[in-house]
Amino acid sequence: MPKPTNPEFDIRGVNHLALVCKDMARTVEFYRGVLGMPLIKTLDLPNGMGQHFFFDIGNGDSLAFFWFPGAPQAQPGISSPQGLPGLGSLMTAHGSMNHIAFNVPVEKFDDYVDRLNHDNSPTQVSPMQTDGVFVRSVYFFDPDGVCLEFACWTTEFDDSDVAHDPMTADGTKAVGMVTGRGKQAIPA
């Protein structure tokens, strides 16, 4: 399958994804110290509004964190998963950020899982690779309960991998919207 292209916008990746942390020092310790992500920019926001720090996650992309004094507490099960896959509910609210999957080399995956376990991060490893498994992954939480994943593709995608029509807000399928099979749902 030829590499898909975006005919509308020249999007070159994720510039940065911004999250909110409770303790910036603990966040720096985890992302720089445990995960090894270089800290590339730090800001003290004006008027005591807080801080904004950026970590390099590769390919010119960044993961950023805000720290706001007096920010509301985390709400697992609403803004983030309550548990790791297989250990609790992965469901989150509409518009929430469920998890971040970092792309890692397949040949280093097992070593990375061992290192996460050594660092006492709670982890849940995906099942052993079998036919039909397209990604190997391990999930873990950061100190603020952000669900993270190390993932590596195990197969090349082709046209057969786009085979499911999307669900609408009322739980019905928008038949034919993606697959081109059947009648397409008309928005209300």
Side-chain angles (χ1 to χ4, degrees):
M1 178 166 117
K3 185 177 177 182
T5 59
N6 181 340
E8 304 297 328
F9 297 96
D10 185 12
I11 296 173
R12 299 177 178 188
V14 175
N15 181 282
H16 69 278
L17 172 65
L19 304 174
V20 178
C21 68
K22 181 176 184 175
D23 181 325
M24 190 64 83
R26 185 178 64 181
T27 297
V28 169
E29 184 179 307
F30 180 77
Y31 285 91
R32 186 174 67 177
V34 175
L35 298 184
M37 294 178 181
L39 183 61
I40 58 170
K41 180 67 177 170
T42 63
L43 297 166
D44 279 333
L45 300 176
N47 304 316
M49 289 174 34
Q51 293 185 311
H52 197 28
F53 283 28
F54 294 76
F55 298 89
D56 184 324
I57 61 172
N59 296 319
D61 305 328
S62 298
L63 181 61
F65 286 88
F66 281 105
W67 172 80
F68 299 118
Q73 292 295 313
Q75 296 184 11
I78 297 173
S79 59
S80 63
Q82 262 182 328
L84 297 171
L87 299 176
S89 176
L90 197 60
M91 186 184 334
T92 56
H94 301 144
S96 65
M97 200 246 7
N98 188 275
H99 68 279
I100 305 168
F102 299 111
N103 193 27
V104 299
V106 68
E107 67 274 7
K108 295 182 178 181
F109 180 81
D110 291 325
D111 177 53
Y112 289 0
V113 172
D114 290 342
R115 289 170 58 188
L116 286 174
N117 285 322
H118 176 74
D119 290 330
N120 297 318
S121 296
T123 59
Q124 173 69 35
V125 182
S126 59
M128 294 301 293
Q129 200 168 329
T130 59
D131 290 339
V133 173
F134 64 94
V135 64
R136 288 193 70 198
S137 63
V138 58
Y139 292 86
F140 53 102
F141 286 120
D142 85 348
D144 285 305
V146 174
C147 189
L148 304 174
E149 175 185 10
F150 281 168
C152 52
W153 301 121
T154 60
T155 188
E156 295 270 332
F157 296 133
D158 62 30
D159 290 339
S160 70
D161 289 299
V162 182
H164 305 280
D165 288 317
M167 301 302 284
T168 65
D170 67 4
T172 59
K173 244 182 206 197
V175 177
M177 182 177 198
V178 170
T179 63
R181 297 185 297 254
K183 184 178 176 185
Q184 193 165 331
I186 308 296

